[in-house]
Amino acid sequence: KGQIYFERFFGRSKLNSSSSDTTTATTATLDTFLKKEVCQRCHMLKNYGKVVPIKIPVNEFKSKLANIRNMNCVVIKVVDIMDFSGTFIEDFRHIVGNNPVIVVCNKMDVLPADIHKHRIEDWIRRECKARGMVAAHVKLLSSASKEGITDFIVELEKIRRGRDVFVVGCSNVGKSTFLNALVDEYSNKVEFGDQQEEENGGKKKKNGKQEVKHKEAEPQETPEKEAERKRKLLASRVTTSIFPGTTLNVISVPLWNNSTLFDTPGVDNPSQIIKLLKPEELKAVIPTKRIKPSLVHMIEGKSLFLAGLARIDYSGGLATFTVYTNNNLPLHLCRTDKADALFQRQRGKMLCPPIGLENININNNNNNNYIESDIIGNGLVFDEKMDLSQLTKFSITPEQVDFKHTHTDLVISGLGWIAIKPLSKQAKPFKLSIYTPKFIDVSLRAPLV
Ligand code: GDP
């Protein structure tokens, strides 16, 4: 790319000149030029030690990474625990061939504290199997809080045995944060596994477990100096490379044993609701803190709004909806016969982030005329306009629900999920009608929590 820009600005002849003087001058100019025009991704990585995501559509991803299945490598597939199906790249086994896959479930810090991790791991294995991916290693972690990262690296070193590593995932699963945490941890010179221990004088295992040894920073080192040291270390380690056989630029990080960790571009999944939102609106949708689930009692003829992004009409006996979304996402319960009018009147106000806000004046704090609905969450208001497609309606009937579980998860891709539990023996069959923007995945699944 640098060469193309260079030619556009300075002309092709200079680059092709055979004169050594010109070549030297050209190389110097090109160097200067490239130094200035280094892509934002490399700039951020080298100067700030941060991986900036780039995105490609899923089909492009599949064709460009087709080589992976012919290589002897380990693949880390990062998924978002908040949106497992929306961030699970389908047909994955076919893409990676027989190479070992580690499914990293990121953002575990947002799940309620009382979850059973082994149950979630089993759940993920079942879901992977249902999608044709057997024998995957499953790791639960949080890249943001770095919980589980050290253990993960120890496990990775055992699995990869000197092989190269590819990190893949949909956009927004936290792949960059994960890579930053990983690179940070590697930059801390953590020593792993038997092989490494042998190299370091054959230190013994403690209580049968691998001992992970951090190289301590100098005692008098200030946080700023420590950050600077890490940045320098990272800058000296990170290089860019071209993935064989393609024009796809991937970031590579040298690992031990002359092997490399490759970051691949984030896969754009059009079925996620976050695709329709602006960055400031994402804050109300993507959870950053531990979720406090909201319990809603549903009866015949009630509708539940998840901000202005989804509406669920309920028909049937008493049921509980336990809503797992960002704590700041406003939830509103109202009568189904008033839901249309409420949506028209309150979208962008109490039902915010909204859908289809074109030509509507947003009047902050004007919620006095909001009588027929119960407010469950906080009413967030943004003053941005949005132009989104019309709602699509999905209907769910009892035949689609697997009653062998105590409850069933209704997933709205990117928004979260609702654990639905009928409380009494249903006198009449219940029915759910879900309205969301077009292309957004709505699905039922066995309960995660
Ligand atoms: P990428 O597009 O896959 O590279 O995703 P990013 O690393 O840019 O992260 C997307 C969003 O998820 C950002 O708002 C991150 O702060 C957030 N995020 C990433 N990892 C975690 C995590 O472990 N926990 C939480 N709560 N948020 C995370």
Side-chain angles (χ1 to χ4, degrees):
K1 244 187 201 168
Q3 183 160 339
I4 294 166
Y5 287 136
F6 183 88
E7 285 174 14
R8 194 175 294 156
F9 284 99
F10 299 106
R12 175 175 279 273
S13 56
K14 273 190 177 180
L15 270 181
N16 293 339
S17 168
S18 57
S19 149
S20 62
D21 278 359
T22 323
T23 313
T24 320
T26 307
T27 314
T29 329
L30 180 60
D31 277 354
T32 324
F33 178 80
L34 286 178
K35 260 182 202 150
K36 275 190 202 147
E37 298 297 318
V38 66
C39 86
Q40 191 203 8
R41 207 163 181 239
C42 299
H43 175 79
M44 287 299 287
L45 192 57
K46 292 202 165 172
N47 295 303
Y48 300 99
K50 292 280 168 235
V51 179
V52 177
I54 52 169
K55 303 166 187 175
I56 54 172
V58 67
N59 287 341
E60 201 180 320
F61 171 85
K62 283 181 182 172
S63 64
K64 286 196 166 171
L65 293 195
N67 268 346
I68 286 191
R69 66 171 161 264
N70 303 323
M71 299 170 86
N72 183 18
C73 59
V74 172
V75 182
I76 300 177
K77 177 186 171 80
V78 188
V79 293
D80 183 346
I81 193 66
M82 282 302 295
D83 186 15
F84 185 86
S85 56
T87 56
F88 191 99
I89 304 159
E90 297 295 333
D91 207 13
F92 201 72
R93 189 40 90 193
H94 181 70
I95 301 172
V96 300
N98 292 327
N99 289 310
V101 176
I102 310 176
V103 179
V104 165
C105 282
N106 192 29
K107 308 195 187 178
M108 285 300 292
D109 56 302
V110 300
L111 289 192
D114 56 355
I115 49 151
H116 298 289
K117 280 196 169 178
H118 62 274
R119 271 188 55 190
I120 299 211
E121 280 174 5
D122 288 347
W123 182 93
I124 290 161
R125 274 193 199 95
R126 277 198 304 275
E127 294 289 316
C128 287
K129 199 172 165 189
R131 290 168 173 81
M133 238 187 62
V134 251
H137 303 266
V138 174
K139 289 283 155 231
L140 309 179
L141 52 82
S142 162
S143 309
S145 70
K146 299 200 175 166
E147 195 188 326
I149 291 283
T150 308
D151 287 350
F152 171 79
I153 294 185
V154 173
E155 194 71 20
L156 173 64
E157 287 302 306
K158 276 190 213 156
I159 296 169
R160 78 182 185 91
R161 294 166 196 265
R163 283 178 283 187
D164 288 341
V165 178
F166 284 83
V167 184
V168 298
C170 284
S171 43
N172 272 306
V173 293
K175 190 160 66 70
S176 311
T177 316
F178 169 68
L179 273 163
N180 286 322
L182 217 58
V183 168
D184 232 21
E185 200 67 17
Y186 270 107
S187 302
N188 274 340
K189 294 192 174 177
V190 184
E191 292 157 16
F192 308 96
D194 290 334
Q195 190 183 348
Q196 200 74 25
E197 280 176 8
E198 271 163 32
E199 281 169 20
N200 292 314
K203 291 187 189 81
K204 293 260 156 49
K205 288 178 186 179
K206 219 180 196 177
N207 303 329
K209 288 181 185 167
Q210 296 289 356
E211 208 184 332
V212 180
K213 192 179 136 199
H214 287 266
K215 189 179 179 188
E216 291 295 334
E218 297 288 311
Q220 66 272 41
E221 197 176 35
T222 60
E224 292 79 27
K225 277 199 169 167
E226 192 192 6
E228 185 60 29
R229 178 175 58 82
K230 280 186 188 168
R231 257 207 301 279
K232 279 188 183 156
L233 196 59
L234 184 61
S236 68
R237 286 169 158 237
V238 171
T239 56
T240 54
S241 76
I242 308 285
F243 186 67
T246 73
T247 54
L248 175 66
N249 276 306
V250 295
I251 281 176
S252 62
V253 181
L255 302 174
W256 286 285
N257 312 329
N258 291 329
S259 52
T260 308
L261 179 139
F262 295 98
D263 173 31
T264 64
V267 182
D268 244 351
N269 184 350
S271 68
Q272 285 185 285
I273 214 157
I274 50 175
K275 310 281 315 160
L276 303 173
L277 298 174
K278 297 186 173 173
E280 59 274 21
E281 288 163 336
L282 288 178
K283 285 183 202 152
V285 174
I286 297 178
T288 49
K289 295 208 172 94
R290 198 174 291 291
I291 292 173
K292 294 184 191 131
S294 304
L295 186 70
V296 185
H297 284 98
M298 295 297 280
I299 52 169
E300 172 74 30
K302 281 276 185 185
S303 293
L304 179 69
F305 279 101
L306 308 186
L309 298 170
R311 169 181 144 189
I312 301 154
D313 294 350
Y314 181 74
S315 156
L318 184 63
T320 59
F321 281 17
T322 313
V323 185
Y324 294 85
T325 55
N326 185 326
N327 300 330
N328 291 328
L329 193 84
L331 308 179
H332 296 289
L333 193 61
C334 69
R335 278 170 44 187
T336 302
D337 56 353
K338 308 243 178 184
D340 278 347
L342 176 75
F343 182 66
Q344 292 303 327
R345 205 172 57 252
Q346 291 293 348
R347 59 186 178 174
K349 296 175 191 169
M350 302 187 83
L351 305 180
C352 196
I355 292 167
L357 249 192
E358 57 276 84
N359 306 325
I360 290 195
N361 271 332
I362 300 167
N363 185 1
N364 290 8
N365 306 323
N366 179 14
N367 51 15
N368 296 336
N369 55 352
Y370 189 77
I371 332 160
E372 64 275 52
S373 63
D374 303 321
I375 304 161
I376 300 160
N378 303 324
L380 285 186
V381 180
F382 297 107
D383 55 6
E384 286 283 333
K385 286 188 176 183
M386 290 200 66
D387 180 12
L388 298 178
S389 49
Q390 290 300 303
L391 302 183
T392 309
K393 184 178 172 184
F394 300 82
S395 287
I396 290 172
T397 50
E399 299 84 62
Q400 292 167 264
V401 178
D402 186 351
F403 280 105
K404 73 172 182 270
H405 306 291
T406 50
H407 57 272
T408 300
D409 286 350
L410 168 71
V411 186
I412 302 174
S413 190
L415 206 52
W417 74 93
I418 302 174
I420 296 173
K421 181 178 181 184
L423 279 189
S424 53
K425 278 229 151 114
Q426 300 282 324
K428 72 174 213 178
F430 74 87
K431 190 176 166 216
L432 297 167
S433 300
I434 300 113
Y435 300 80
T436 61
K438 268 181 203 160
F439 312 120
I440 300 308
D441 256 359
V442 175
S443 56
L444 292 173
R445 69 177 187 200
L448 172 70
V449 175

